[in-house]
Amino acid sequence: QITLKESGPTLVKPTQTLTLTCAFSGFSLSTPGVGVAWIRQSPGKALEWLALIYWNDDQRYSPSLKSRLTVTMDTPKNQVVLTMTNVDPVDTATYYCAHRYVYDGNCFDQWGQGALVTVSS
Amino acid sequence: DIQMTQSPSSLSASVGDRVTITCRASQGISTWLAWYQQKPEEAPKSLIHSASTLQSGVPSRFSGSGSGTDFTLTISSLQPEDFATYYCQQYNSYPLTFGGGTKVEIK
């Protein structure tokens, strides 16, 4: 059974760096085809894809946020970390990590519960 | 970027109704399309991938169709637990993009 859970600060000040951790179980990032994505949802808004890291450490980013995002993996710990620099109130959102559905490309079959992050001074 | 446009943005329906949601891609994406269901205060749940393949455990009243630029999600007989917001997502190319969502409300 695949599970994912996001953790990190609930409140961040503008210009600071946000670091979120996705702890998962039920799969390994050393398995070919596996990937973990970060997706966010601003209050009352639609879903927005941010980044995706693959088992081979290939990373893909949303072009609009690429300069501010870094995604890394810690395979032995079964964790993926998202770092977002220079946050702004518009980055207030629920941040989800999700498991890439290995049998069919970059869609997501399991999601974490989400972590609400508020950016405010 | 491929833009995904869903319609309608919201609809009201009754239990037992047949409901159809449309998703249009700004360029062809073959069948690289997924559908998700999201209930209030919950994470999205995967319903369909490859435009028409149900994820394991998803009720058969859900179905998906389409290819290229036009896709539909159909609920054949709406159940109380189906009242939610539905999103399409293309995974033909980066950046991965989602539709704006369709909220299905109780009439």
Side-chain angles (χ1 to χ4, degrees):
Chain A
Q1 179 191 3
I2 290 172
T3 64
L4 307 98
K5 187 173 183 179
E6 307 85 353
S7 62
T10 57
L11 180 64
V12 184
K13 289 181 167 44
T15 76
Q16 289 186 337
T17 295
L18 169 65
T19 300
L20 292 168
T21 300
C22 175
F24 57 83
S25 63
F27 65 95
S28 172
L29 263 173
S30 62
T31 303
V34 170
V36 173
W38 286 94
I39 297 152
R40 72 179 180 181
Q41 186 172 38
S42 300
K45 303 295 185 182
L47 301 163
E48 178 186 15
W49 172 73
L50 302 178
L52 175 57
I53 188 165
Y54 294 93
W55 80 99
N56 58 0
D57 204 23
D58 184 18
Q59 300 132 39
R60 304 287 174 147
Y61 296 99
S62 168
S64 63
L65 291 165
K66 183 174 183 177
S67 64
R68 298 171 52 211
L69 295 177
T70 303
V71 61
T72 60
M73 62 184 190
D74 186 330
T75 303
K77 287 187 177 180
N78 282 347
Q79 291 181 347
V80 170
V81 175
L82 177 74
T83 302
M84 177 183 287
T85 61
N86 193 26
V87 298
D88 181 89
V90 300
D91 296 314
T92 293
T94 296
Y95 288 75
Y96 296 100
C97 59
H99 173 262
R100 177 183 185 260
Y101 185 54
V102 298
Y103 302 108
D104 185 33
N106 293 322
C107 57
F108 309 108
D109 59 342
Q110 298 294 333
W111 295 59
Q113 64 189 26
L116 176 61
V117 178
T118 301
V119 180
S120 174
S121 55
Chain B
D1 299 7
I2 298 176
Q3 309 302 318
M4 305 301 292
T5 304
Q6 286 184 236
S7 61
S9 56
S10 66
L11 65 90
S12 296
S14 301
V15 172
D17 284 353
R18 181 182 182 89
V19 169
T20 298
I21 297 168
T22 297
C23 179
R24 175 165 290 174
S26 60
Q27 59 187 267
I29 59 170
S30 184
T31 57
W32 299 110
L33 185 101
W35 289 98
Y36 303 92
Q37 175 194 64
Q38 187 178 33
K39 297 180 181 179
E41 308 306 317
E42 293 186 8
K45 172 189 172 184
S46 177
L47 294 177
I48 287 170
H49 65 93
S50 297
S52 61
T53 304
L54 259 60
Q55 284 283 8
S56 176
V58 174
S60 59
R61 62 181 179 273
F62 290 92
S63 64
S65 65
S67 66
T69 60
D70 294 315
F71 301 87
T72 59
L73 172 70
T74 299
I75 309 172
S76 60
S77 177
L78 198 65
Q79 298 301 300
E81 60 268 30
D82 301 336
F83 291 95
T85 300
Y86 294 85
Y87 293 95
C88 60
Q89 178 227 330
Q90 69 80 20
Y91 49 105
N92 177 79
S93 62
Y94 300 105
L96 309 178
T97 48
F98 291 85
T102 296
K103 186 174 184 179
V104 177
E105 299 176 301
I106 301 172
K107 182 183 283 186

